[in-house]
Amino acid sequence: MRKFATWALAFVFALSFAWPSMPAAAQEGSLKLVVDGVEVEGYEQPFLSQGKVLIPVDNLFQEAGFNVTKEAPGKLNVTNTYLTLDFSIADQKISVNGKATDEVFPLTLRNYGNYISSDFLDSLEGFDVTVSEEDNTVNVTTNRVQDIDAFLEKMMGADLKSYEAKMTLDQSMEADTEELSMNMLMDMDMSVTTDPVALYMTQKMSMNMGEETEELTTEAYFTEDGFLQSDGDQWLKFPAELTDGLLEASMTQADPVAQLQLVKAFMKGIHVFEYDDVYIITQTMTNEEFKSMMNEALSLFSGLLPEGVVEQTDVVEETVAEEATDEEAVTEEEAAEEATSEEEAVAGDEAATEEEAVVDADLEGEAEFDMGSILDMLDINIEKYFVVTVVDKATLFPKSTSGTTVIKMSMDGETVTIKQLINGVFSKFNEVKAIKVPAEVIEKAVTWDLGAELEAEKAAE
């Protein structure tokens, strides 16, 4: 960002010789920006320049539900995947869906020139602009659906009984230490039916971690008869108690009302754009929404754990509680002695991190310690979360999905950045036949006994 600011300042200085200077009066009298009835606040506001109304690009398109990216110094990209605009100071032009326009850019040197004219914006599909001189207001109306709840209910009620999907997941994790850094590429082919809920999936995964590379190919069946997954030449069948829970969760996922509730709870930043033949749904997520969603997921996961795992977790929690009780039983004399020792080692005590203090407080004062507390101690920052789904307007079936996520997590002075790109295409709607687990797979499958595995690990210790 600092490099961008330095470059931009130098470029603005150079442009000052090529572009006519604006008189002070032309920059006076800022206007208010209103997008779909919502006033957009911020330092940058529309203003009148040489007879044109100029609107700040960032504020406008972010409020309109587009993804705004500063790709490089002097370059700006805004998109909802159906409509994409590229702004280039070096080329002095704006491109729409990859095609250059006659619109000159930048039109002003103010705030590095990231402004668009009201006339050009009005010419774009899905935008209507009116300027009220009486109210000093620029009113921008988009093609967004206003009643999101009604649209989602209608979409979730679409007659979608089966489909196929091809998904690609490209994920990287960068950490302060090389041991934790990794890259993973996953290709998935899926066949899905919704009534009954069933899934067949093939998955190819390639993972690089340091100098180590691992490649894995798996198959999986998920039906009312159970969840089976290949492990090399062997097939593993997950325990019934785990499968039943997963199936119930999947049934919930296939329930339009349940899906709607989940979307409304964790995806407040939803925008639905209506075009001639498709709807474009964009989604964003805040840090608070991410934590809420993770807590919900952890709650669901803990409910699916077999009894052996739950019991082991309870034992750990009880041990923690007992240790906390023992610590509270320290006598006053021992406390005094410890205080004397602490005074001698005050320098080391001052080095304790805030996270360690939180952990100590939790262990001494709380009997319960769960995964949710770990989320509370993590400093999670969603630097970017933008997911787009293209929906066929006639059938309301999903056609494709794509998303970019950048999450930074910090704890105890260590930082991990997770970047994820996902792309998926859906096809063969209502053409997938009933998914059955082959008889030879059922015969070869070995039930995964998680409880026995835990007991073996405990005995080995």
Side-chain angles (χ1 to χ4, degrees):
M1 192 65 185
R2 289 194 297 270
K3 185 183 292 184
F4 168 69
T6 303
W7 185 94
L9 285 172
F11 198 88
V12 166
F13 178 77
L15 280 177
S16 64
F17 293 97
W19 289 88
S21 300
M22 293 183 296
Q27 299 190 34
E28 294 178 354
S30 294
L31 306 172
K32 292 188 298 183
L33 175 61
V34 177
V35 178
D36 289 332
V38 177
E39 182 175 348
V40 182
E41 299 181 354
Y43 173 74
E44 295 184 28
Q45 291 293 330
F47 67 95
L48 185 66
S49 173
Q50 298 181 357
K52 291 186 176 182
V53 174
L54 304 186
I55 306 172
V57 172
D58 296 50
N59 293 357
L60 165 68
F61 285 101
Q62 284 178 357
E63 180 61 36
F66 281 62
N67 184 43
V68 179
T69 305
K70 294 180 179 178
E71 297 179 328
K75 289 189 175 183
L76 189 69
N77 172 273
V78 298
T79 184
N80 68 357
T81 69
Y82 185 94
L83 178 63
T84 299
L85 285 80
D86 290 290
F87 300 82
S88 174
I89 291 180
D91 298 333
Q92 299 183 11
K93 68 180 181 181
I94 302 175
S95 297
V96 177
N97 291 336
K99 297 181 180 180
T101 67
D102 295 331
E103 186 75 2
V104 177
F105 180 80
L107 297 173
T108 175
L109 302 183
R110 184 172 177 175
N111 295 330
Y112 304 122
N114 289 334
Y115 287 79
I116 189 173
S117 73
S118 59
D119 292 338
F120 180 70
L121 180 63
D122 190 65
S123 70
L124 298 176
E125 183 177 3
F127 287 90
D128 181 71
V129 184
T130 59
V131 179
S132 173
E133 296 182 2
E134 181 179 352
D135 298 330
N136 288 329
T137 300
V138 178
N139 292 292
V140 178
T141 303
T142 71
N143 61 340
R144 286 183 296 179
V145 173
Q146 296 303 308
D147 192 342
I148 300 295
D149 288 354
F151 171 80
L152 290 176
E153 284 193 29
K154 183 179 179 181
M155 178 185 170
M156 298 303 176
D159 187 25
L160 181 58
K161 296 183 175 63
S162 67
Y163 61 90
E164 289 189 357
K166 290 182 176 292
M167 310 288 290
T168 299
L169 174 65
D170 189 350
Q171 181 172 293
S172 66
M173 184 170 70
E174 300 175 359
D176 296 334
T177 57
E178 293 185 2
E179 298 83 37
L180 294 177
S181 298
M182 75 166 198
N183 293 291
M184 183 182 69
L185 180 62
M186 187 181 298
D187 292 317
M188 296 168 283
D189 289 335
M190 295 177 284
S191 298
V192 181
T193 61
T194 61
D195 186 17
V197 174
L199 164 73
Y200 170 68
M201 177 177 66
T202 60
Q203 175 179 288
K204 294 181 180 180
M205 183 184 71
S206 175
M207 184 172 64
N208 297 319
M209 193 167 184
E211 296 181 355
E212 298 182 3
T213 300
E214 182 179 356
E215 294 186 355
L216 183 66
T217 300
T218 61
E219 288 183 81
Y221 288 92
F222 184 22
T223 70
E224 292 179 332
D225 295 327
F227 179 51
L228 298 94
Q229 180 174 312
S230 65
D231 182 14
D233 295 331
Q234 188 179 26
W235 281 88
L236 294 178
K237 183 175 182 179
F238 282 65
E241 60 270 24
L242 181 58
T243 302
D244 293 343
L246 288 171
L247 184 59
E248 182 180 352
S250 297
M251 292 290 287
T252 301
Q253 186 178 16
D255 183 352
V257 177
Q259 284 194 13
L260 177 59
Q261 291 174 344
L262 182 63
V263 169
K264 289 171 64 178
F266 302 119
M267 299 289 188
K268 296 180 181 178
I270 295 180
H271 304 272
V272 181
F273 302 86
E274 182 177 1
Y275 293 99
D276 290 340
D277 56 348
V278 295
Y279 289 104
I280 304 294
I281 304 176
T282 65
Q283 302 173 28
T284 59
M285 184 181 290
T286 65
N287 293 334
E288 292 73 19
E289 290 168 346
F290 177 79
K291 283 192 174 183
S292 297
M293 184 180 71
M294 289 302 296
N295 280 321
E296 184 74 13
L298 288 171
S299 174
L300 175 63
F301 178 73
S302 63
L304 299 178
L305 288 176
E307 293 182 1
V309 179
V310 175
E311 290 172 359
Q312 189 178 62
T313 304
D314 292 339
V315 170
V316 172
E317 292 178 352
E318 290 174 3
T319 302
V320 170
E322 290 173 1
E323 291 176 354
T325 303
D326 292 340
E327 290 177 6
E328 291 175 353
V330 176
T331 64
E332 295 181 1
E333 291 79 3
E334 291 173 332
E337 292 176 2
E338 290 178 0
T340 303
S341 300
E342 289 174 357
E343 289 177 0
E344 296 175 354
V346 64
D349 291 339
E350 289 178 350
T353 64
E354 182 178 347
E355 289 81 3
E356 290 171 338
V358 172
V359 173
D360 290 341
D362 286 342
L363 292 179
E364 293 174 4
E366 298 290 341
E368 295 183 358
F369 182 79
D370 55 21
M371 289 297 293
S373 61
I374 295 180
L375 284 177
D376 293 335
M377 289 185 291
L378 280 174
D379 181 12
I380 300 177
N381 181 36
I382 310 297
E383 294 190 346
K384 186 172 186 179
Y385 183 96
F386 191 77
V387 177
V388 179
T389 303
V390 180
V391 178
D392 183 83
K393 194 171 183 179
T395 63
L396 295 180
F397 294 164
K399 299 179 66 175
S400 65
T401 185
S402 60
T404 302
T405 304
V406 180
I407 302 175
K408 183 171 289 187
M409 297 183 292
S410 299
M411 185 175 181
D412 292 341
E414 295 184 359
T415 300
V416 174
T417 301
I418 300 174
K419 299 179 181 179
Q420 181 174 283
L421 300 175
I422 186 169
N423 287 283
V425 177
F426 304 92
S427 63
K428 295 189 177 181
F429 301 107
N430 296 338
E431 297 179 14
V432 178
K433 296 181 180 179
I435 298 174
K436 302 288 185 180
V437 182
E440 59 270 21
V441 171
I442 296 177
E443 292 175 1
K444 294 179 180 179
V446 177
T447 301
W448 179 34
D449 191 342
L450 180 58
E453 186 173 317
L454 291 173
E455 288 295 331
E457 291 180 357
K458 185 177 179 181
E461 294 177 356

